[in-house]
Every structure is written in C-alpha cells, then in structure tokens.
Amino acid sequence: MQAADPMRSAYLDDLRSKFLIENSLFKMEYAESRVVDLSQRGLTILCHLEHLLVVTHMNLSDNLLRCLPPSLAMMRCLEVLEADENRIETLEGLPPLPRLEELSLCNNRIRRPSDLRALASFPKLAHLNLQGNPLCQIPGVQSELATLLPNVATILT
C-alpha cells in the first residue's frame, strides 16, 4: 500500500501502530498484566493508553517514536519506562508521572539538557539513563543535568 501511495506513508505507519497496540491489548485482556512489552514493533505513535491505567512497567524500546505523548499522564501507576532505541528528541509537553522511578532513554536523539526539563516535575524519578544520546557528548553535561534534575539520584550519560 505504501508503494502505491507514498504520500500517505506516515498515516499508514501510524495506522499500523494503532493496530499493533490494539492487538497487544486484546492479548493482555485476560492476563491482567501490569507489565507491557511493546518493544520492537515499529510503533510511530502510542494510542489506547486509557486501557493501561494499572501498568507499572512498560517497554517501548526499539520503535520509531519521535516523542512520548502527553496522554502518557493517564498511566499514573507507571514505575518503570523503557524507551531506548527510538527517535525521541525532547520530552517537552510530557506531564509528570507521579510514580515513575526509572526512565531509560538510551540511543535516542536528545541533544540538549533543556530537552529534559519536564523531568524536573517527576516526584519519584530516581534513575535516568541517557547513554547514546547526542547530549552525552557535551562537556560538563553531567553537572548541568544534576542541576536541572536535583532529585534524580542516578543519571547515566
């Protein structure tokens, strides 16, 4: 379909992502799982998060996500979020997740410490992994991040 209509390529990618998430939710329906693995699915968007309200651990690694959507705020029980190997450039607009303790954003496209400013309002965030992002090449970035995120005990760059 994408070969026949290249103008709608991004739309079709998003539609595919929606279907993959719906399929994963359907499989989870009877498992009552609090851990969701949506890694390696080629996801371009996140949808149906309202069905994941009690999830505590979510793996979004190795997808094509450009951002974490504001609707992630619905996941008020989320404690661990893995979003490695995506295309995330900023966390701007991401509301606080009150129980999030660990966030891994390895090998994304985060360039400046200011792109992570939203994390300053995450009350329980203790561990942040940023290895493999362009900002890790900035001299003195560790101290700048420590100033920006004083409550985060461990910041790996």
Side-chain angles (χ1 to χ4, degrees):
M1 184 87 168
Q2 288 181 347
D5 191 357
M7 297 291 285
R8 294 190 184 152
S9 178
Y11 168 76
L12 294 172
D13 287 341
D14 290 351
L15 193 61
R16 180 182 170 281
S17 294
K18 183 178 182 291
F19 169 76
L20 288 170
I21 291 173
E22 288 170 353
N23 192 38
S24 294
L25 288 172
F26 180 73
K27 289 177 181 176
M28 283 178 48
E29 189 172 335
Y30 301 106
E32 295 183 23
S33 178
R34 295 191 74 142
V35 176
V36 176
D37 187 356
L38 294 171
S39 64
Q40 300 177 340
R41 308 275 173 101
L43 301 177
T44 56
I45 61 167
L46 294 177
C47 57
H48 301 302
L49 296 178
E50 67 275 9
H51 297 287
L52 302 173
L53 300 179
V54 296
V55 167
T56 59
H57 186 140
M58 184 159 58
N59 187 348
L60 299 170
S61 297
D62 200 17
N63 281 295
L64 303 171
L65 299 171
R66 294 184 181 279
C67 65
L68 295 175
S71 59
L72 205 60
M74 287 187 269
M75 301 183 69
R76 306 203 44 89
C77 296
L78 193 62
E79 297 172 359
V80 177
L81 177 59
E82 297 172 77
D84 302 332
E85 304 285 342
N86 278 284
R87 297 176 179 177
I88 298 168
E89 295 180 6
T90 183
L91 298 182
E92 186 177 328
L94 184 64
L97 295 169
R99 293 190 182 170
L100 191 70
E101 297 173 10
E102 296 180 33
L103 176 60
S104 186
L105 295 165
C106 296
N107 299 312
N108 276 285
R109 297 178 179 177
I110 300 168
R111 298 189 183 288
R112 298 177 306 274
S114 61
D115 294 332
L116 302 168
R117 188 171 288 124
L119 297 179
S121 60
F122 285 49
K124 291 194 174 185
L125 186 61
H127 305 284
L128 175 62
N129 192 341
L130 299 168
Q131 294 174 324
N133 281 281
L135 75 83
C136 297
Q137 305 304 316
I138 299 172
V141 73
Q142 191 73 32
S143 62
E144 193 173 342
L145 287 170
T147 302
L148 180 67
L149 307 169
N151 296 328
V152 181
T154 306
I155 302 175
L156 300 176
T157 56

